[in-house]
Amino acid sequence: ALAGRHRGGSSVVEIEEEGRKGLGEKFVGFYERLAKEKACPYLRLDTNAINERAQAMYQKLGYQIVGRELTVFNGIDRVELLMLEKTLY
């Protein structure tokens, strides 16, 4: 049911020293505005399943977990990604 919804991709990596300064929420806000401008009714993103801080932020911003996937990320095998999605309108 979720296949075919992907329209583009981008990666954001937050530098640990810059954490807790609101940069993550600013990035999400930017992509939500961009998605609305492009007439996308929802936005999907993912995060590493062990990144509890990011998960909490995304859920605070209204995102819901819609799936999990094992993948290779930066050469590391079997990284579990959580897929989160938010309806924008």
Side-chain angles (χ1 to χ4, degrees):
L2 298 174
R5 290 181 155 191
H6 186 269
R7 287 186 134 182
S10 184
S11 294
V12 176
V13 177
E14 187 171 326
I15 300 169
E16 187 63 32
E17 301 87 54
E18 295 298 318
R20 298 192 177 115
K21 291 185 180 176
L23 295 177
E25 289 184 22
K26 289 176 184 172
F27 277 115
V28 172
F30 169 82
Y31 282 108
E32 286 182 1
R33 287 188 299 279
L34 182 63
K36 288 177 183 177
E37 289 173 11
K38 303 289 184 185
C40 297
Y42 54 86
L43 185 61
R44 179 182 295 164
L45 48 83
D46 59 57
T47 189
N48 192 315
I50 64 172
N51 190 342
E52 294 176 358
R53 197 168 98 205
Q55 291 175 49
M57 179 193 69
Y58 294 136
Q59 290 178 326
K60 180 181 96 172
L61 295 173
Y63 287 81
Q64 296 181 349
I65 297 171
V66 295
R68 296 173 180 267
E69 181 175 321
L70 288 177
T71 189
V72 176
F73 184 76
N74 288 340
I76 303 168
D77 195 26
R78 300 187 54 81
V79 173
E80 182 180 18
L81 295 180
L82 294 182
M83 293 168 280
L84 299 103
E85 187 173 281
K86 178 179 178 178
T87 300
L88 301 175
Y89 59 89

